[in-house]
Amino acid sequence: MFYYHGTGVVPITNYGFVIDNRRCIGCHACTVACKAEHDDPIGVNKTWVKYIEKGEFPNTNRNFSVMRCNHCDDSPCTDVCPVTALWEREDGIVDFDTERCIGCKACMQGCPYDALYIDPETSTAAKCNYCSHRVDSGREPACVTVCPEDAIIAGDTENPETKITETISDQEVQARKPEKGTEPKLFYVDGDEGSLTPGTTAREEHYMWSDAPSSIEVQGGEREDFDVERAARSLAESDVTFSSARGPAKEDTRTDGGCACGGSCGCGGNCKCGRDDTSLASDGGVTSSSATSQTEQSTDNRNGRMERAYELLHEEARRVYDIGESHYMSWGWEVYSYTWTKSISAGALLLPALLMLTNIIEPNAGLLGISALVSGLFLGLTGLLLILDLEQPQRFHWVLLRPNWSSWLVKGAYIITAFGGWLGLIVLGWLLDLGVFVHPLALVITTILATATAIYTAFLFSQSKGRDLWQSPAMPLHMFVQSLIAGAAVTALLGLIAFDQLIAPSRVALFGGLIAHVALVGSEIFTPHQTEDAEEAAARITRGRFSQPFWIGAIGVGIVLPLVALVAGASAPLIGGAGVLALIGLFAFEYCWITAPQTISLA
């Protein structure tokens, strides 16, 4: 393949990997060679082998899968990295520079494959870089060189004469999570579903020979609350073709020689659904029986698929060897605290500005100045939390000085910097008794900056393709609503101090915000989700380990009690108390929303 560049036509090179599972013996030579080549510390791995066992003695088998970076053509880690520590080379390799990394862990959230980790020695992110230093000198990656069975194939996927291209063309290959749109370039020959789809096997806390003596080890990250019935139903409703485990096929009842159910019941030709019917089979073949039982056959087909799905899930596929997951809780209390303080900062100024702009209350420079002061205090706390979350906090300014403009971390940093500067001007104007900032044009600027501060994190979360629950299109609106709730709580408290005119509009804004919050929570958590990971994360919030903080904190304390208080009366103390309860509930919701998706196994 060629493309035009500058003065002429040059060849395209696009490196990738193929893992031939028919050859892999699970010897871990690739893991050892990788660690030796890169001098990686104990407890972390750029390449590792996962073991999956299936069946019951004596009918058992073990499958090996080599796991590593997919070097995606559309790599989410490079998009979200704020300082271009990750980048896609012209030859398709996704490379990494530890000297630029600030340790924000956004790349770990963006990667759907758990390919990145924090190196305990450098306190920066790290991953497989295709041994780019070896490739640049004309050699193959260390894992390829050392594999005793030639199970790892590396090469240029654009060159039709390479072994990797021939293998991809001649063999049926699988990739991990192609639905993410990342265009991964790590392919598996004879890939096993139990290995490639992490949710099909339970996550254990310990494995044979793999207990890591560092904080990188998973903190009890097993796949909790695994609902076999729901998993079987989801599998049965999919378009997966089930193989048979019920012995050799017998004579079927179709005139075209196929199974009467089209194979959808997994009967392997020993079909018992619709034996006496003449109806269309699910793949278009005609059965030799009466058409009067089409409904019964369809029901039997569904029941057969459900039964076979349940059997497959009970083949006791076990993850018997793996490594501690790197992504587990990579964004902790600093992040869900920062989203909460940011909502308060944005809302504390947004709501008074909107009330003045719409003439619900009279423009008041003193009120705007105090609101800006409160907003500034919480914005400063937000910045502090963001810096505390970095593994390299001394490099925090690189987000502004070495920006990657595709990352919403960078865009957000500039937004909150502009907002902070505007807050300083408002406070200064208040102290100097200047009324310019209550002018309608200034109020419009205030509203725009506060709104941008409130919602930019939604776009950052949407770049985190590893977290399916965060891909909600309603997230920007939800964050705006949360900032209005926080703003109403702050203005209600200001009404208790000196600004009586805020009490009534604060009550209305708080009530309306909570109602909208309920609707958005319902749309994001209780409606059907497009992926199994999003469904599982929502289930963990509503009925798993996060159910108590969600139902008691986010719903009970944060929504029900404030609404009851607001309906019960219009006194300033009651409204102020409702605002405090709403803030507590918002914090509980942020904790559940940000933490639960990070407990889902990615690899």
Side-chain angles (χ1 to χ4, degrees), residues 36-327:
E37 183 73 27
H38 298 278
D39 196 22
D40 290 332
I42 295 174
V44 293
N45 294 277
K46 291 182 172 69
T47 293
W48 71 98
V49 184
K50 184 165 73 171
Y51 289 8
I52 299 294
E53 289 184 351
K54 288 185 175 181
E56 296 181 3
F57 181 82
N59 301 312
T60 62
N61 68 294
R62 175 178 287 176
N63 301 288
F64 310 111
S65 290
V66 178
M67 316 298 282
R68 57 155 63 100
C69 172
N70 286 244
H71 294 279
C72 307
D73 272 335
D74 186 9
S75 51
C77 60
T78 60
D79 290 337
V80 77
C81 176
V83 292
T84 325
L86 285 152
W87 75 96
E88 295 179 19
R89 300 184 359 157
E90 290 185 357
D91 56 10
I93 295 173
V94 179
D95 212 339
F96 189 81
D97 184 0
T98 57
E99 297 300 319
R100 294 185 69 95
C101 179
I102 63 174
C104 65
K105 302 179 285 289
C107 56
M108 297 168 66
Q109 306 291 359
C111 177
Y113 311 105
D114 197 32
L116 291 113
Y117 62 85
I118 294 296
D119 189 306
E121 292 185 353
T122 63
S123 295
T124 61
K127 70 169 195 68
C128 161
N129 70 339
Y130 208 90
C131 285
S132 57
H133 59 290
R134 293 173 61 94
V135 172
D136 291 341
S137 62
R139 297 178 293 167
E140 290 186 317
C143 59
V144 178
T145 303
V146 78
C147 180
E149 296 293 326
D150 291 328
I152 305 176
I153 306 170
D156 181 8
T157 60
E158 296 292 341
N159 186 344
E161 298 180 0
T162 59
K163 184 178 180 181
I164 187 172
T165 304
E166 293 176 358
T167 303
I168 294 173
S169 300
D170 295 342
Q171 303 293 330
E172 182 178 351
V173 296
Q174 298 81 36
R176 295 161 59 199
K177 302 181 182 178
E179 71 278 0
K180 290 291 184 181
T182 60
E183 299 182 48
K185 292 178 295 179
L186 173 61
F187 303 99
Y188 295 87
V189 177
D190 199 21
D192 180 74
E193 184 69 16
S195 297
L196 304 185
T197 305
T200 58
T201 55
R203 180 82 211 177
E204 303 297 337
E205 186 173 358
H206 302 284
Y207 298 102
M208 56 181 183
W209 317 311
S210 65
D211 287 347
S214 72
S215 60
I216 298 298
E217 184 181 12
V218 61
Q219 305 169 27
E222 70 245 53
R223 187 172 178 84
E224 54 191 295
D225 307 319
F226 184 69
D227 190 334
V228 176
E229 292 290 344
R230 182 162 56 84
R233 189 180 310 111
S234 175
L235 183 59
E237 292 172 356
S238 70
D239 57 359
V240 173
T241 301
F242 296 154
S243 60
S244 175
R246 302 179 182 178
K250 296 183 180 180
E251 182 181 357
D252 56 62
T253 60
R254 281 175 42 167
T255 60
D256 61 355
C259 168
C261 67
S264 62
C265 69
C267 62
N270 185 20
C271 183
K272 292 184 175 60
C273 34
R275 175 69 68 182
D276 297 323
D277 301 339
T278 49
S279 57
L280 286 178
S282 62
D283 60 354
V286 182
T287 66
S288 61
S289 51
S290 170
T292 58
S293 300
Q294 209 168 30
T295 302
E296 289 83 349
Q297 177 181 335
S298 177
T299 302
D300 286 346
N301 290 350
R302 289 194 297 270
N303 292 339
R305 283 185 63 84
M306 183 68 180
E307 179 184 351
R308 182 64 183 131
Y310 197 79
E311 288 178 1
L312 286 171
L313 289 171
H314 274 79
E315 282 185 349
E316 295 299 327
R318 297 174 296 278
R319 197 185 308 201
V320 296
Y321 182 86
D322 206 348
I323 63 169
E325 293 194 47
S326 304
H327 78 277

Side-chain angles (χ1 to χ4, degrees), residues 336-413:
Y336 58 77
S337 298
Y338 121 75
T339 57
W340 182 69
T341 57
K342 184 170 66 67
S343 292
I344 297 174
S345 175
L349 193 60
L350 174 62
L351 187 58
L354 285 174
L355 293 176
M356 294 179 193
L357 195 59
T358 55
N359 293 318
I360 295 176
I361 62 174
E362 290 292 325
N364 187 320
L367 170 60
L368 196 67
I370 292 176
S371 298
L373 184 61
V374 173
S375 178
L377 291 174
F378 278 96
L379 190 66
L381 185 57
T382 298
L384 178 62
L385 289 167
L386 282 170
I387 294 172
L388 286 175
D389 185 58
L390 301 179
E391 298 294 327
Q392 292 282 356
Q394 73 278 8
R395 300 177 180 177
F396 77 93
H397 55 286
W398 289 4
V399 176
L400 298 173
L401 301 181
R402 301 181 177 184
N404 169 23
W405 286 106
S406 68
S407 171
W408 271 95
L409 265 174
V410 170
K411 296 172 185 176

Side-chain angles (χ1 to χ4, degrees), residues 489 492-493 495-497 503 510 565-566 569-581:
L493 294 174
L496 282 171
I497 300 172
I503 296 175
L510 186 57
L566 293 173
S571 66
L574 203 58
I575 298 171
V580 171
L581 292 173

